[in-house]
Amino acid sequence: MADDQEQLKRQVAAAAAARVADGMRLGLGSGSTVNLVVAALDQRVRDGALSNLHIVAASSRTEAAIVKIGLRPDTLEKYPELDLAIDGADEIDPQFVMIKGGGGALLRERIVLAAAAARLIVVDESKLVPMLGVAWSVPVEVVPFGWRVSERGLRALGARPVLRTRAGVPAITDEGNYILDCAFGMISDPARLAALIAGGPGIVAHGIFVDLADELLIAGRAGVEIRRRTASS
Ligand code: 5RP
């Protein structure tokens, strides 16, 4: 990550951590920005501002980061309703629809965001796009048993699916599935595409997140901008 982008992510992570109140049931997504949120929370714990948090993490990576700062991750079984969820995104359009799953945690991220009363998305300004699909493919989590069938279905929807690999073998998600990264080109109707993808065989989750962002914190050269979702956005 370029130093500048890292700096922007740090800024927005600190602004997000400042929103966390003691006693909150907090959902944390996954990714490098969320890791910086964990570091900023650690600082607030050390400063004595926070002493009692119930954190549910959306990935094993975030869970490990929480454990590393001496906190114990909680579960959705114990806290199925969260006060706030904080997560990053790969792309966000003007209607606050996102592509997520660059880090492969899309399934659990969707669940954690859906469990929260308020959803705060933390990004640097490079993630804002006029239309989804500009730079990112849509990650689709599929059951290994039938991934070739899922792949065929996605191709029929117009995608160019590529099986995500790590060290030459299929990357495995925290839930034991594969990911197909699907380039669709520019996505003019993300809600429609999301419904079509979700209906395919063997599809467990996809990275088009509709209605799962309430507020954006956007780090840019001029500081951190706040955008709240309105009826028209
Ligand atoms: C992981 C995600 C992340 O939120 C997304 O990839 C953004 O990551 P980063 O904060 O590293 O830019 O969806 O599945």
Side-chain angles (χ1 to χ4, degrees), residues 149-169:
V149 181
S150 307
E151 182 192 40
R152 225 172 59 221
L154 289 161
R155 221 181 275 285
L157 294 179
R160 278 178 286 115
V162 175
L163 181 66
R164 194 179 291 189
T165 57
R166 199 171 295 134
V169 295

Side-chain angles (χ1 to χ4, degrees), residues 20-26 44 49-55 74 79 81-84:
V20 176
D22 206 27
M24 261 187 178
R25 298 162 300 176
L26 177 67
R44 293 198 66 208
L50 300 172
S51 59
N52 177 35
L53 288 178
H54 311 285
I55 305 180
D74 269 301
Y79 297 109
E81 290 175 35
L82 303 171
D83 300 301
L84 174 68

Side-chain angles (χ1 to χ4, degrees), residues 9 30-33 87-90 100-105 109 127:
K9 286 187 176 185
S30 195
S32 57
T33 318
D87 204 348
D90 298 309
K100 284 187 51 56
E109 286 171 341
K127 307 290 183 76

Side-chain angles (χ1 to χ4, degrees), residues 100-221:
K100 284 187 51 56
L106 58 158
L107 172 56
R108 291 192 185 177
E109 286 171 341
R110 181 183 292 279
I111 297 170
V112 167
L113 288 172
R119 286 76 56 100
L120 182 62
I121 304 300
V122 286
V123 289
D124 65 82
E125 61 192 1
S126 70
K127 307 290 183 76
L128 302 182
V129 295
M131 197 182 272
L132 296 181
V134 169
W136 278 84
S137 296
V138 177
V140 180
E141 185 160 344
V142 299
V143 175
F145 170 78
W147 78 269
R148 284 289 189 188
V149 181
S150 307
E151 182 192 40
R152 225 172 59 221
L154 289 161
R155 221 181 275 285
L157 294 179
R160 278 178 286 115
V162 175
L163 181 66
R164 194 179 291 189
T165 57
R166 199 171 295 134
V169 295
I172 305 289
T173 69
D174 281 335
E175 295 294 333
N177 297 311
Y178 289 174
I179 291 182
L180 293 167
D181 286 303
C182 297
F184 282 96
M186 299 285 242
I187 302 170
S188 58
D189 189 346
R192 180 169 176 274
L193 181 61
L196 289 171
I197 295 172
I203 307 294
V204 180
H206 59 75
I208 301 178
F209 282 42
V210 183
D211 287 340
L212 288 170
D214 302 312
E215 194 176 350
L216 311 183
L217 295 186
I218 305 155
R221 314 270 154 227

